[in-house]
Amino acid sequence: MLNFKEINKLNEANLVLRHFVDLSAQLLPFLEQLETKKNLTVEEASYKLKIKNVFENYNFDTKTSQFLINSNVLELIQNSFNKIITSACSENSRTHKRTLRKFLFEHQRLNESWNLIESN
């Protein structure tokens, strides 16, 4: 049986996870656009570097989302980021687009679920 403090910690962890997932749903498509663009402005190059830093320096265990919300969304985020970085400039860009779509679909599913929970 969980006590009050443990429940609060789980709720807080879920909130942090949700914010990271929502942020990733905004940043990863933007990063994908920047990675495929040939000539970046100084501002775009700065955004690209900052986004990469977010994902490269955010240390998370992909199993966390499986435990907290029964979803592999963190693994999808990590895979999307890695595929965008490694294949956006290559001719095999379908791979990263497919991986990104999987993440965005899971984000949408989770968002619908979270919205349903909030409305109750």
Side-chain angles (χ1 to χ4, degrees), residues 14-104:
N14 277 327
L15 186 60
V16 169
L17 177 62
R18 182 176 180 176
H19 286 296
F20 181 71
V21 171
D22 287 341
L23 179 66
S24 297
Q26 294 174 356
L27 293 180
L28 288 173
F30 186 49
L31 177 62
E32 190 262 342
Q33 288 176 354
L34 294 174
E35 280 290 319
T36 56
K37 191 171 179 182
K38 298 219 186 275
N39 296 316
L40 297 177
T41 66
V42 173
E43 187 178 39
E44 289 170 332
S46 175
Y47 287 149
K48 180 178 166 181
L49 183 61
K50 288 176 184 176
I51 294 169
K52 283 182 172 184
N53 284 334
V54 167
F55 291 101
E56 289 171 347
N57 295 318
Y58 195 85
N59 296 322
F60 57 84
D61 183 353
T62 57
K63 295 175 189 166
T64 302
S65 64
Q66 196 67 50
F67 172 76
L68 289 174
I69 58 174
N70 196 28
S71 170
N72 68 335
V73 71
L74 288 179
E75 182 180 347
L76 293 171
I77 289 169
Q78 187 177 56
N79 289 344
S80 295
F81 173 73
N82 290 336
K83 294 282 185 183
I84 289 168
I85 298 303
T86 59
S87 69
C89 295
S90 72
E91 292 181 19
N92 191 12
S93 65
R94 286 185 185 168
T95 304
H96 79 266
K97 289 181 187 288
R98 189 175 322 123
T99 307
L100 181 59
R101 273 196 309 270
K102 285 180 188 177
F103 159 62
L104 293 173

